[in-house]
Amino acid sequence: LSNRLRAALQSPDGAGLSAVADATARDARDRFDALAAIYALHRAPLVQIGDAVWFQHHPAISELKARLEADWIAELDALPVPHDNADVSTSLKSLAARDRLPDLYRWVADEATWDEVREFLALEGGPDADFDDLVATCQIGIDGVPKVEMARNYWDEIGNGEPTEVHTTLYRRMAAAVGIRAVPADQQPLSALTRGLLGGLLSTNRSLQPEMIGALGLIELQAGPRCRLVLQAFDRCGAPQDAYPFYRVHAEVDPRHGMDWVANVVEPICDAHPDWGQRILRGAAWRAGTNAEFFRDVSELLIDRRRAA
Ligand SMILES: [Fe+2]
Ligand SMILES: [Fe+2]
């Protein structure tokens, strides 16, 4: 499916697009590879996708996208959701606390060799890859205090207006210093891809705005302590100075971002729309579930490999 889709997107007249509308994916990887190509039409820099962008809303693309996403959402909903009768913000915070410091991060902090740290960081992709665009999309149609909080978060994300402090710039600086090379999609665990694509699902469906608010909140609530463990790994391994700023800024500001997101986005929105509460938790559970699968797979890859060696 994904190869046929990519070929059709490259043809000038979109020949072959209609044929993929009802094609089935060979397996999960094929499905997510097809979704990656579709999300790129919505979110990737124009210079990367070229003329294929004209097919963003082609009926065949819309049909295929909706079908593939319906299957994926059914799987995401099969992940356990927290049901602890508390209010939404308490439930969200306790979900975030549950797996805030995965064993994998502790291993990175305490035991991984420098090469293993680099391998881990290449797969992790930073605590908040493309978060700036996600927040920008998430605030569409929101107003009042939540809008202001999202704007404040976005402003932090883009370095408070200081070009050298923009988080994606800091990430590139870190990646260059550490010598991280992008791992081709077909060499990543499937869960690393789905974790990255969750932002595509959430940000290309207005209907999932409550879920997106929950997922972004969970990212903020969990990132700080994880980044501190990466910094410990840097200290232990003697990482170059340019590796530090990206993880340092997230270790410092994300705990505040998380609490502010709960207080200024989740709570006022739930006051205004009580029916959004369960859906905010649903989105947070989606993110927690995709994280858990990713951590399990990367642990198998790195820690089990070490034990076997
Ligand atoms: Fe960030
Ligand atoms: Fe943040």
Side-chain angles (χ1 to χ4, degrees):
L1 169 65
S2 62
N3 288 339
R4 284 167 63 198
L5 171 63
R6 284 176 196 277
L9 287 172
Q10 288 316 313
S11 69
D13 55 354
L17 276 181
S18 305
V20 296
D22 52 5
T24 40
R26 185 176 5 97
D27 52 24
R29 191 171 280 272
D30 189 28
R31 180 220 288 172
F32 286 111
D33 190 35
L35 278 173
I38 294 172
Y39 293 147
L41 300 178
H42 292 261
R43 307 185 64 227
L46 280 183
V47 288
Q48 263 173 39
I49 39 178
D51 287 341
V53 74
W54 291 102
F55 300 126
Q56 179 187 6
H57 296 294
H58 188 287
I61 295 293
S62 299
E63 201 179 317
L64 178 63
K65 180 175 186 286
R67 195 161 46 80
L68 297 177
E69 289 178 338
D71 291 345
W72 185 16
I73 288 173
E75 290 163 15
L76 289 169
D77 277 335
L79 300 166
V81 192
H83 273 304
D84 51 2
N85 292 332
D87 57 274
V88 173
S89 53
T90 309
S91 299
L92 183 60
K93 282 188 265 187
S94 68
L95 174 65
R98 206 167 303 172
D99 198 22
R100 189 157 17 220
L101 289 175
D103 290 344
L104 177 59
Y105 278 87
R106 295 181 196 276
W107 178 82
V108 167
D110 297 334
E111 290 180 49
T113 64
W114 179 235
D115 278 344
E116 287 165 338
V117 171
R118 295 167 63 214
E119 211 174 335
F120 169 73
L121 294 179
L123 290 169
E124 187 215 31
D128 60 354
D130 63 14
F131 204 84
D132 49 359
D133 283 349
L134 292 176
V135 177
T137 311
C138 194
Q139 58 81 41
I140 294 172
I142 299 283
D143 64 4
V145 172
K147 183 94 159 185
V148 174
E149 179 56 42
M150 289 178 179
R152 199 176 330 182
N153 188 299
Y154 181 79
W155 192 238
D156 275 358
E157 201 56 39
I158 56 166
N160 294 289
E162 190 53 61
T164 57
E165 302 296 318
V166 173
H167 291 190
T168 44
T169 306
L170 295 180
Y171 182 82
R172 286 189 201 120
R173 199 168 130 204
M174 184 280 296
V178 171
I180 290 177
R181 48 164 197 92
V183 186
D186 60 354
Q187 289 169 33
Q188 293 182 29
L190 184 58
S191 56
L193 297 181
T194 56
R195 181 168 177 261
L197 292 175
L198 187 64
L201 173 70
L202 296 170
S203 65
T204 61
N205 290 284
R206 292 294 316 282
S207 56
L208 297 178
Q209 193 167 27
E211 282 79 359
M212 189 177 192
I213 288 171
L216 297 189
L218 192 84
I219 291 174
E220 294 287 18
L221 286 165
Q222 293 185 322
R226 291 176 182 174
C227 291
R228 271 199 292 282
L229 290 177
V230 173
L231 291 170
Q232 271 183 42
F234 285 172
D235 285 345
R236 187 174 53 77
C237 297
Q241 277 311 310
D242 275 355
Y244 282 83
F246 176 76
Y247 282 97
R248 198 180 283 139
V249 72
H250 289 99
E252 282 164 14
V253 302
D254 279 344
R256 174 168 58 78
H257 284 171
M259 298 315 277
D260 287 351
W261 193 271
V262 171
N264 301 327
V265 177
V266 173
E267 287 177 3
I269 282 180
C270 288
D271 287 344
H273 314 281
D275 54 317
W276 282 35
Q278 265 317 308
R279 296 188 46 201
I280 288 174
L281 292 177
R282 182 189 188 212
W286 289 356
R287 172 70 190 184
T290 49
N291 269 343
E293 285 178 7
F294 170 73
F295 296 143
R296 190 200 55 217
D297 287 350
V298 176
S299 297
E300 265 171 32
L301 191 77
L302 296 179
I303 304 179
D304 296 0
R305 183 183 67 196
R306 167 90 81 85
R307 289 202 185 109

